[in-house]
Amino acid sequence: MALKIWLNDKLVDEAEAKVSVFDHGLLYGDGVFEGIRVYDGRIFELEAHVRRLFDSARAIRLQVPMGKEELIRAIETTVAANRVHDGYIRLVVTRGVGTLGLNPFTCKNAGLIIIADKIQLYPEELYEKGMRVISATTVRNHPLALPPQIKSLNYLNNILAKMEALDVDVPEAIMYNHEGYVAEATGDNVFIVRNRIIYAPPVEAGSLEGITRAVVIRLARQEGLEVVEKNLTRYDLYVCDELFLTGTAAEVIGIVEIDGRAIGDGRPGPITRLLRDRFYSYARRKEK
Ligand code: PMP
């Protein structure tokens, strides 16, 4: 079935949902975005995603073409129009149409795109058996150059690392910052467990402030587990008991091998499985 896409100020047919070649989102990756899940007809953590989108936009001096409330209504309208009960929303704000130079001030109106569709998930088997990762040689963007908290349309830094992983047939890569500390995976946040304590690199180490990350930290604490944010090195990942990633698409996924070394006993560990379980039921049953 053809989708209805929200384009700027209204829903249009998928075939009409086209963007100008002069949009600076395309020409320069100048824009911001969000990926959001729909579970059981409910939009998961919608306000947190909208807040992060506005923060990202503010950080790059981009005016979102509508207010938060109006945007929430546009998202809900798009989800309803496409009858998405369980799926994924891609929310994009581009700098808009301008001239060929870098100057963003030639772009008079920011572009807004909302896509509500099905989601491509990792196979269930990967959650049961756990995923392999490598350490990327591509260093995460220096936070003083482009703060990784900004969910910008320019993902080249992560894409270069992702290719390193795909080159050796693993789905994900861990990225380190300019000081060698763990930043994040190419599209997910990183956690480890050691002696039943959960450690997460601080956001300032160079990661997106993941919304799944925040939910998982909250759920872990509700389970009485200690969560500590501290800088982690490659050594910490090599010797940890459990390693897992969190993200909107992946939810919570156990990592069982890094750089050819087994983690723990080579299967997703008990705390990873507990948190995956808790997250799964929280996402699907929670009131709006
Ligand atoms: N880091 C990066 C680079 C991401 O793109 C994402 C989102 N896919 C995440 C972390 C996870 O963030 P969230 O839980 O908000 O999806």
Side-chain angles (χ1 to χ4, degrees), residues 12-270:
V12 298
D13 288 335
E14 187 178 331
E16 312 303 316
K18 299 209 170 117
V19 175
S20 165
V21 294
F22 290 99
D23 192 312
H24 281 208
L26 172 69
L27 290 174
Y28 299 113
D30 187 352
V32 296
F33 78 104
E34 282 294 321
I36 312 172
R37 287 290 281 275
V38 183
Y39 292 108
D40 267 339
R42 285 190 301 266
I43 305 174
F44 187 62
E45 296 286 312
L46 178 56
E47 276 171 30
H49 281 284
V50 167
R51 201 177 318 129
R52 188 171 69 185
L53 181 87
F54 272 77
D55 286 346
S56 292
R58 187 177 196 135
I60 67 162
R61 299 173 65 188
L62 172 63
Q63 177 82 42
V64 181
M66 53 177 75
K68 283 187 184 149
E69 290 306 315
E70 203 185 338
L71 181 60
I72 286 174
R73 280 198 299 279
I75 296 166
E76 288 169 344
T77 302
T78 311
V79 168
N82 292 286
R83 296 193 177 81
V84 173
H85 189 71
D86 283 284
Y88 183 84
I89 303 163
R90 174 56 55 90
L91 180 57
V92 186
V93 183
T94 70
R95 187 72 70 179
V97 174
T99 56
L100 282 179
L102 276 182
N103 184 354
F105 304 126
T106 65
C107 308
K108 293 302 168 217
N109 300 303
L112 171 64
I113 300 164
I114 309 171
I115 306 167
D117 200 359
K118 291 186 279 298
I119 177 165
Q120 197 68 45
L121 295 171
Y122 285 134
E124 188 55 37
E125 205 195 356
L126 206 54
Y127 289 93
E128 277 150 30
K129 293 196 172 154
M131 191 163 91
R132 296 185 301 146
V133 297
I134 56 152
S135 295
T137 63
T138 304
V139 171
R140 187 75 180 99
N141 278 336
H142 194 297
L144 296 180
L146 181 65
Q149 288 101 317
I150 301 173
K151 198 166 169 60
S152 88
L153 290 184
N154 201 313
Y155 256 53
L156 275 177
N157 184 219
N158 308 53
I159 290 166
L160 291 174
K162 180 90 175 179
M163 285 195 287
E164 290 185 50
L166 297 175
D167 279 345
V168 292
D169 285 329
V170 307
E172 255 293 4
I174 305 292
M175 301 184 77
Y176 300 81
N177 68 18
H178 57 285
E179 293 178 307
Y181 291 116
V182 176
E184 60 183 338
T186 69
D188 293 303
N189 289 108
V190 176
F191 288 82
I192 63 168
V193 182
R194 177 127 166 130
N195 298 329
R196 290 193 59 79
I197 299 175
I198 300 171
Y199 298 93
V203 171
E204 305 81 66
S207 72
L208 186 72
E209 199 159 1
I211 286 164
T212 319
R213 177 186 186 275
V215 170
V216 166
I217 290 175
R218 211 163 64 222
L219 293 174
R221 288 184 174 144
Q222 276 168 18
E223 289 298 315
L225 292 161
E226 192 179 343
V227 184
V228 178
E229 293 185 63
K230 83 178 189 72
N231 271 325
L232 302 174
T233 62
R234 188 180 305 208
Y235 166 83
D236 295 316
L237 305 193
Y238 284 172
V239 302
C240 68
D241 303 327
E242 300 181 35
L243 172 54
F244 63 89
L245 307 181
T246 66
T248 290
E251 299 182 335
V252 177
I253 189 159
I255 305 301
V256 292
E257 189 187 297
I258 176 166
D259 301 335
R261 299 157 180 248
I263 292 163
D265 65 0
R267 285 174 303 176

